[in-house]
Amino acid sequence: MSFPRPDEDSKAFFSSVIPVDPRINIKPMFGNLASFINGNMFAGLFGPQIFVRLQEQDRLRLLEEEGATEFSPMPGRPMKEYVALPEQWREEPDKIKEWIQQSVTWVETMPEKVPKKKKSKEK
């Protein structure tokens, strides 16, 4: 299965709406980008589409906005807790920044996610 790839303008825009915070990392993921705080993903870029991770009441409120949808990287397989932001909001980056900050505020309360250790091969 091939995933959509973001163009350079989308990557630059995504980086511009992520808060500057030493705890935040933007990493490549499946040919796209994702933002993490304390090892937990809070936002991402999938092709040209920006998505955020939200607690239930915020997720339901965002889904009421025209153009917002459940984030589904594969048809019929939505990712729990994630909402794709309306594409027309690219013209209103402050709206995107508000929702990303909502995501950061919630996700930073989660326990730190420690990377799993790689298994060594026994001979």
Side-chain angles (χ1 to χ4, degrees):
M1 163 171 256
S2 68
F3 290 120
R5 306 279 188 215
D7 59 29
E8 293 304 314
D9 287 342
S10 293
K11 289 179 185 179
F13 180 77
F14 179 72
S15 295
S16 77
V17 295
I18 298 299
V20 175
D21 183 319
R23 301 171 301 156
I24 291 175
N25 295 308
I26 299 175
K27 301 178 189 178
M29 194 164 99
F30 305 115
N32 289 280
L33 296 176
S35 295
F36 298 83
I37 187 162
N38 300 325
N40 294 295
M41 184 168 61
F42 66 88
L45 181 66
F46 189 72
Q49 187 176 53
I50 295 175
F51 61 90
V52 293
R53 184 177 189 179
L54 298 166
Q55 59 185 324
E56 186 175 9
Q57 68 265 23
D58 292 334
R59 193 169 52 255
L60 294 173
R61 190 165 48 96
L62 178 54
L63 286 169
E64 291 176 1
E65 293 283 339
E66 183 180 339
T69 59
E70 289 183 323
F71 175 62
S72 299
M74 293 181 276
R77 310 256 336 248
M79 284 180 62
K80 184 179 177 186
E81 302 180 344
Y82 292 88
V83 176
L85 300 176
E87 288 183 35
Q88 63 268 27
W89 285 8
R90 291 286 285 263
E91 304 303 317
E92 300 177 70
D94 288 343
K95 277 189 174 183
I96 293 172
K97 289 178 181 181
E98 285 175 32
W99 283 103
I100 287 174
Q101 188 57 55
Q102 288 269 51
S103 181
V104 169
T105 300
W106 182 58
V107 173
E108 72 184 344
T109 68
M110 297 176 177
E112 184 173 354
K113 193 171 192 176
V114 181
K116 294 179 184 177
K117 292 183 181 178
K118 293 184 180 187
K119 294 180 183 178
S120 62
K121 293 182 180 180
E122 292 184 33
K123 294 186 178 186

